[in-house]
């Protein structure tokens, strides 16, 4: 059901006609004239390597084709929605996980995360954070640490979530 919701939402935006938005133009321009490895500023590679890797990768794969870029953003949105579903499913009975993941997919105030490729590292961050929570709840703390690290190095807004999850979800190691 979660995948169907993501598919329906992406079909709606695809019918509107995917195009480059705001910073997408800047990343595309930098990639064209400075080379793909420099499409995202150098400081990002050092400070936020997950963000740098993600944005460099999707803009390289899309090769200035907005529909391909949109498809890649849709795939990471699907991964985030499913990771959220499974993380909530570890702690709450049905239908709570489906309602939470469905709300994430359908909430209109995060449409920038739905179509704006240059902001999609935030979605990668959410996916990694939720994956980390699921892994930690299964006692796989090293893998959870890797997921939490990738999350916070993509976008810093998940730092408090990862910290609280480590305290509340993680048991003695």
């Amino acid at each position: 059901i979660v995948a169907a919701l993501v598919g329906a939402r992406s079909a709606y935006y695809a019918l509107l006609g995917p195009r480059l938005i705001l910073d997408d133009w800047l990343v595309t321009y930098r990639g064209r004239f400075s080379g793909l490895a420099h499409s995202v500023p150098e400081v990002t590679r050092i400070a936020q390597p997950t963000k740098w890797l993600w944005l460099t990768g999707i803009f390289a794969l899309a090769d200035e084709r907005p529909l391909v870029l949109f498809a890649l953003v849709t795939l990471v949105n699907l991964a985030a929605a499913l990771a959220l579903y499974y993380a909530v499913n570890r702690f709450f009975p049905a239908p709570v996980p489906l309602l939470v993941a469905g709300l994430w997919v359908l909430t209109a105030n995060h449409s920038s995360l739905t179509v704006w490729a240059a902001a999609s590292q935030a979605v990668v961050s959410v996916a990694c954070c939720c994956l980390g929570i699921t892994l930690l709840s299964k006692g796989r703390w090293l893998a959870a640490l890797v997921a939490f690290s990738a999350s916070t190095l993509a976008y810093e807004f998940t730092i408090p979530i990862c910290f609280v999850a480590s305290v509340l979800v993680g048991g003695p190691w």
Side-chain angles (χ1 to χ4, degrees):
I1 294 177
V2 173
L5 289 173
V6 172
R9 183 191 62 196
S10 64
Y12 169 75
Y13 283 109
L15 288 173
L16 292 176
R19 51 189 144 307
L20 299 178
I21 302 170
L22 300 171
D23 293 346
D24 295 348
W25 289 102
L26 180 62
V27 175
T28 301
Y29 172 84
R30 287 176 59 99
R32 179 184 290 173
F33 294 103
S34 300
L36 288 174
H38 300 288
S39 57
V40 180
E42 183 70 24
V43 69
T44 305
R45 185 181 334 185
I46 297 162
Q48 296 176 300
T50 308
K51 174 183 178 179
W52 178 85
L53 185 64
W54 170 254
L55 292 180
T56 301
I58 65 166
F59 278 91
L61 288 171
D63 193 30
E64 299 184 28
R65 294 172 294 188
L67 187 58
V68 174
L69 198 56
F70 174 69
L72 294 169
V73 171
T74 298
L75 286 175
V76 77
N77 269 288
L78 175 60
L82 291 173
L84 177 61
Y85 173 84
Y86 286 113
V88 174
N89 192 48
R90 295 290 296 167
F91 306 100
F92 296 95
V96 174
L98 182 59
L99 293 172
V100 170
L103 185 62
W104 163 259
V105 171
L106 298 176
T107 302
N109 70 354
H110 81 289
S111 63
S112 63
L113 301 180
T114 303
V115 297
W116 187 11
S120 64
Q121 77 277 0
V123 183
V124 171
S125 182
V126 168
C128 290
C129 181
C130 292
L131 176 62
I133 291 169
T134 301
L135 290 167
L136 194 58
S137 73
K138 293 180 176 187
R140 299 186 59 201
W141 59 270
L142 187 57
L145 177 63
V146 171
F148 285 155
S149 297
S151 173
T152 59
L153 292 172
Y155 202 65
E156 62 278 355
F157 78 93
T158 59
I159 291 172
I161 300 167
C162 293
F163 177 74
V164 170
S166 297
V167 171
L168 295 180
V169 176
W173 295 353

